[in-house]
Amino acid sequence: MEEKEFKERLEYNDFWDWFLTMEKKFFEVVKEGEQEAIEKDFFYIISSKLNQVNEGYYFLTGMFDEDTAELIITVEGEVKNIVFAEELIEAAPKLNHWIFTALKPAIDIQNVNIELGDHKFSKDTVSFYANEQEEYPDEIDLVFVYQGTAENKKAVTTGVCVLLDNFLGELNFATQIDTFTVIGIDQAEKELVPIEKLKDFLDWREREFIEKYKSIERDDKEEKFSILRAYLENSRPLIACMNLSLLQYDAKASYPWVSVLKIHYNGDDNDGLPEKEDFEKLNDIENKAIEELKKGGYLYIGRESADNIKESFFVGKDFRQASKVFKTIIQDNPGYKISFGIFKDKYWQYFKDYENAH
């Protein structure tokens, strides 16, 4: 095990070592089942500890059976935090009276009944159909149809999302659907498919996608970068260095996960661009990210700097390694405010403005 991974695993183990000293008390709190006590005497206490491991953990608990409590660690569908929930649970001890689960599991659609205000969401009120996009054939673009009035768009969309989160499970809901919309029955334009068939549809599309792209690898040895300059609405300059030849790649969908590392610096005396000292430090940070991610087969798209922010762009076949690399970078560089985002974008539409640049 590499030293960096060992350090992370130690942090997880530190939490579980502490949990072992409290688990009997926590078990009694869960078994009693009083919501206020669970919040105050369980969730509040473990959240302060887990925040020292990683931010973005949420919790669900209840009795799995008469003698066993279950703790589910969820990240509320935030892709960049999924790997940290998985690793935390992987490090969990085996205890007689506890089950530990990473991410909300899938539930039989027969048992999913959601009520939000006057709206009810179940297999009887939600169906779907797929849109086919000629320009983006691998895109999974779904329309979910609510069998009732969808005038309150926000409430109906929230209800459908909760239904899908429960039915598909947190991991699949976060990673298998590219885009979706929610409409009322009066807006439907195609034949409706029962929601029960959604899992099979998504699994079929995923198998097709993996089979189509699993053997495709991009060789980046001949990549060439171009320097581009533009101006923001506030008249400050934007300087970008982008791999324009890579952006013309004809198999973009083989690297569907886009990762963006964002670093804030103080460039107020340099029109929003980094001054020499920051410029060198930011390059070192970015080069570390490039070096680590290339080991996992990620491709480096390029970078842009403007208005006191530098963003570095990567694409990959997976999202987990980027999360771990970026988290380490944040920990190793406390002098900068650093954040990152990871999202699925099979056709790299995020970079569309650069594709036709010269």
Side-chain angles (χ1 to χ4, degrees):
M1 182 179 288
E2 295 181 6
E3 181 181 348
K4 198 168 48 192
E5 292 179 345
F6 183 67
K7 180 183 175 186
E8 285 183 349
R9 187 63 65 194
L10 265 183
E11 291 173 349
Y12 296 134
N13 286 341
D14 285 342
F15 168 77
W16 290 116
D17 288 345
W18 168 83
F19 188 91
L20 285 171
T21 68
M22 303 287 289
E23 63 95 4
K24 289 183 174 61
K25 179 181 177 182
F26 290 156
F27 177 81
E28 292 303 323
V29 171
V30 176
K31 190 168 185 179
E32 287 294 324
E34 294 183 8
Q35 187 62 36
E36 186 176 336
I38 289 174
E39 293 282 348
K40 176 175 171 287
D41 298 328
F42 184 24
F43 287 169
Y44 179 77
I45 296 172
I46 66 170
S47 66
S48 62
K49 277 287 181 182
L50 279 175
N51 280 339
Q52 297 173 32
V53 179
N54 190 71
E55 294 183 354
Y57 290 127
Y58 300 89
F59 328 102
L60 296 169
T61 194
M63 295 303 293
F64 184 81
D65 58 36
E66 190 175 330
D67 299 312
T68 310
E70 182 175 24
L71 174 63
I72 299 173
I73 301 295
T74 168
V75 295
E76 294 298 321
E78 183 64 68
V79 168
K80 70 178 185 180
N81 288 327
I82 285 174
V83 67
F84 304 123
E86 293 172 335
E87 288 185 336
L88 177 69
I89 297 304
E90 188 182 328
K94 305 297 182 190
L95 299 178
N96 289 334
H97 298 294
W98 283 94
I99 291 176
F100 303 111
T101 303
L103 311 175
K104 286 173 278 188
I107 299 174
D108 189 322
I109 191 62
Q110 306 294 332
N111 300 324
V112 181
N113 291 282
I114 310 297
E115 291 191 24
L116 287 177
D118 297 329
H119 301 286
K120 295 182 180 181
F121 303 90
S122 69
K123 65 181 181 62
D124 298 321
T125 62
V126 180
S127 49
F128 79 100
Y129 59 83
N131 284 327
E132 295 178 9
Q133 301 189 38
E134 188 175 340
E135 189 179 359
Y136 307 121
D138 294 306
E139 194 90 351
I140 298 178
D141 178 16
L142 302 180
V143 178
F144 292 99
V145 182
Y146 179 59
Q147 305 281 344
T149 176
E151 288 180 7
N152 189 338
K153 183 82 171 179
K154 184 176 180 181
V156 172
T157 300
T158 299
V160 169
C161 287
V162 174
L163 176 79
L164 295 173
D165 200 34
N166 281 272
F167 173 40
L168 299 176
E170 185 173 357
L171 179 62
N172 288 339
F173 182 40
T175 60
Q176 285 190 321
I177 300 172
D178 296 312
T179 58
F180 71 89
T181 54
V182 177
I183 63 173
I185 184 68
D186 57 319
Q187 298 172 285
E189 297 178 351
K190 292 186 178 181
E191 182 179 348
L192 304 186
V193 181
I195 199 72
E196 296 99 307
K197 296 187 177 181
L198 178 60
K199 276 186 182 179
D200 289 340
F201 172 79
L202 292 174
D203 289 345
W204 165 63
R205 289 294 301 270
E206 187 167 45
R207 285 194 303 272
E208 273 199 335
F209 182 80
I210 291 172
E211 184 64 29
K212 183 177 179 180
Y213 291 108
K214 66 181 179 181
S215 61
I216 296 179
E217 300 285 344
R218 169 81 177 192
D219 186 353
D220 64 351
K221 292 179 181 178
E222 302 298 323
E223 305 295 10
K224 294 182 180 179
F225 288 81
S226 301
I227 304 295
L228 306 165
R229 187 182 183 97
Y231 289 90
L232 305 177
E233 290 183 2
N234 62 9
S235 299
R236 280 186 163 184
L238 180 151
I239 306 294
C241 180
M242 302 293 288
N243 188 341
L244 298 185
S245 61
L246 179 55
L247 290 179
Q248 301 302 320
Y249 187 33
D250 60 1
K252 292 184 175 75
S254 58
Y255 292 84
W257 291 100
V258 174
S259 305
V260 182
L261 181 66
K262 182 180 292 189
I263 309 176
H264 295 255
Y265 56 85
N266 185 359
D268 287 340
D269 294 331
N270 193 33
D271 224 3
L273 298 175
E275 299 193 53
K276 183 179 179 182
E277 185 178 352
D278 279 324
F279 181 84
E280 293 172 352
K281 289 180 179 177
L282 297 177
N283 272 358
D284 288 342
I285 293 171
E286 183 185 57
N287 287 336
K288 183 65 175 176
I290 294 171
E291 177 188 347
E292 291 297 319
L293 289 176
K294 280 194 173 182
K295 294 176 185 176
Y298 287 71
L299 303 177
Y300 173 57
I301 295 281
R303 62 184 178 270
E304 65 178 40
S305 297
D307 217 7
N308 297 333
I309 297 173
K310 176 178 181 176
E311 294 183 299
S312 301
F313 310 114
F314 303 85
V315 291
K317 294 178 177 289
D318 178 61
F319 56 86
R320 291 175 173 85
Q321 187 182 1
S323 292
K324 297 179 69 173
V325 168
F326 291 161
K327 180 187 175 185
T328 300
I329 284 174
I330 291 171
Q331 291 173 332
D332 291 346
N333 296 277
Y336 290 100
K337 178 186 174 184
I338 306 176
S339 60
F340 66 94
I342 300 176
F343 52 93
K344 204 171 196 179
D345 183 1
K346 287 177 181 170
Y347 293 92
W348 304 359
Q349 296 179 66
Y350 188 77
F351 306 109
K352 208 160 191 175
D353 288 344
Y354 283 112
E355 284 192 20
N356 298 317
H358 299 286

